[in-house]
Amino acid sequence: MKYDNNNIFAKILRSEIPCKKIYEDDFVLSFYDINPQKKIHALVIPKGKYVDLDDFSEKASPDEMVGLLKGISFVAKKLGISVDTGKGYRALANISEHGGQEVPHLHFHLFGGEKVGKMVE
Ligand code: AMP
C-alpha cells in the first residue's frame, strides 16, 4: 500500500492536529490514544513514512529500527509500566486488514496500568 500523507498520524506529526504528547526524539513520537482501551493506552509511532510493520521492516534504516524499539521501551519506563518501573505492559501493532489496522501509519499500542487480559478475542 502506498503511504497516505493525509492519514491522521501524518497530520499529528506535522502538528496540523494536536495530540497529548508523551515523548519525542529524532525517530519517534509518542502520545496518548484518543480512545483508551486500558488504564494506560499510549501510541508510539516512527517519524518516517511507513504504512505498517512490514513496510517498516522492508524500508527503514537500522537507526530507525533501533530508534523505534528504544522509543517503545523509553515510553514504557516513562509511563511507569515497564518491568523496571511497573508491572509490565503489552506492545501491539495491528497490520493491515486482518490485523484490524485503522490508521495507515505504523504504530505500536502500549497497554498497561492494569492487567491487560486475553491476547486476542
Ligand atoms: P489501529 O486500529 O491499530 O490502526 O489503531 C488506531 C488507533 O488510533 C485507535 O486506537 C484510535 O483510538 C487511535 N486514534 C485515532 N485518532 C487519534 C488521534 N487523533 N489521537 C490519538 N489517537 C488516535
Side-chain angles (χ1 to χ4, degrees):
M1 186 201 265
K2 198 173 168 293
Y3 186 81
D4 170 14
N5 278 306
N6 285 320
N7 79 74
I8 197 116
F9 293 168
K11 289 180 180 172
I12 288 175
L13 281 168
R14 293 194 298 266
S15 302
E16 289 169 11
I17 61 167
C19 69
K20 276 181 70 182
K21 192 192 288 188
I22 299 165
Y23 174 70
E24 180 172 17
D25 63 23
D26 287 348
F27 298 107
V28 298
L29 175 66
S30 175
F31 47 94
Y32 287 102
D33 196 290
I34 206 167
N35 182 23
Q37 302 297 309
K38 291 291 165 194
K39 201 163 172 187
I40 295 178
H41 184 175
L43 298 170
V44 180
I45 72 174
K47 287 197 165 170
K49 296 178 179 183
Y50 302 105
V51 176
D52 56 30
L53 192 59
D54 286 355
D55 190 32
F56 184 79
S57 301
E58 197 179 312
K59 297 177 193 153
S61 70
D63 281 353
E64 288 176 300
M65 292 184 184
V66 171
L68 178 58
L69 282 178
K70 285 195 176 291
I72 290 168
S73 288
F74 186 87
V75 168
K77 281 197 177 76
K78 191 169 180 190
L79 292 173
I81 59 174
S82 73
V83 175
D84 287 351
T85 61
K87 293 189 171 177
Y89 63 102
R90 180 170 298 156
L92 180 150
N94 293 319
I95 300 164
S96 202
E97 190 184 341
H98 281 191
Q101 183 177 5
E102 287 169 8
V103 179
H105 180 112
L106 172 62
H107 50 283
F108 275 86
H109 297 259
L110 271 53
F111 300 106
E114 62 182 329
K115 283 228 173 181
V116 173
K118 265 181 73 174
M119 191 162 72
V120 285
E121 294 284 308

